[in-house]
C-alpha cells in the first residue's frame, strides 16, 4: 500500500507542467501550466505529483517536462 504514504515520501524529482489539454479528463482544475510539481512516484506512463489540491494525483507524462 505504497500509495497511502506518497504524500509524506521524499520527492523523487520536480517536473514543470507544459499544458493541460487533456483528451478525456479535466485536468486544468488541478494542474496549472508553468507550475513546478513534486514527483512522489513514477511509472512508465504516469507521474504521481502533489497537485494544486494538495493531494497526490496521477497524470500522463505528456503534461510535463523534466527539470534538469
Amino acid at each position: 500500500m505504497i500509495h497511502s504514504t506518497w504524500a509524506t515520501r521524499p520527492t523523487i524529482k520536480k517536473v514543470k507542467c507544459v499544458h493541460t489539454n487533456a483528451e478525456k479528463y479535466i485536468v486544468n482544475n488541478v494542474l496549472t501550466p508553468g507550475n513546478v510539481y513534486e514527483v512522489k512516484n513514477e511509472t512508465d506512463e504516469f507521474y504521481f505529483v502533489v497537485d494544486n489540491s494538495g493531494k497526490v494525483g496521477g497524470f500522463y507524462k505528456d503534461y510535463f517536462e523534466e527539470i534538469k
Side-chain angles (χ1 to χ4, degrees):
M1 301 204 27
I2 189 173
H3 67 280
S4 62
T5 60
W6 279 345
T8 58
R9 293 180 68 106
T11 300
I12 297 172
K13 59 183 162 185
K14 293 191 178 191
V15 292
K16 181 178 179 180
C17 180
V18 291
H19 72 82
T20 57
N21 302 326
E23 292 181 23
K24 291 172 107 177
Y25 305 104
I26 298 172
V27 297
N28 61 351
N29 294 338
V30 291
L31 295 177
T32 305
N35 280 7
V36 175
Y37 296 94
E38 297 179 351
V39 177
K40 298 298 185 174
N41 195 22
E42 177 180 5
T43 65
D44 290 338
E45 196 174 358
F46 296 98
Y47 285 130
F48 293 89
V49 302
V50 179
D51 60 25
N52 295 348
S53 70
K55 298 178 182 176
V56 176
F59 302 96
Y60 287 114
K61 287 185 173 182
D62 65 335
Y63 301 132
F64 304 96
E65 67 180 17
E66 288 191 30
I67 297 176
K68 297 181 182 187

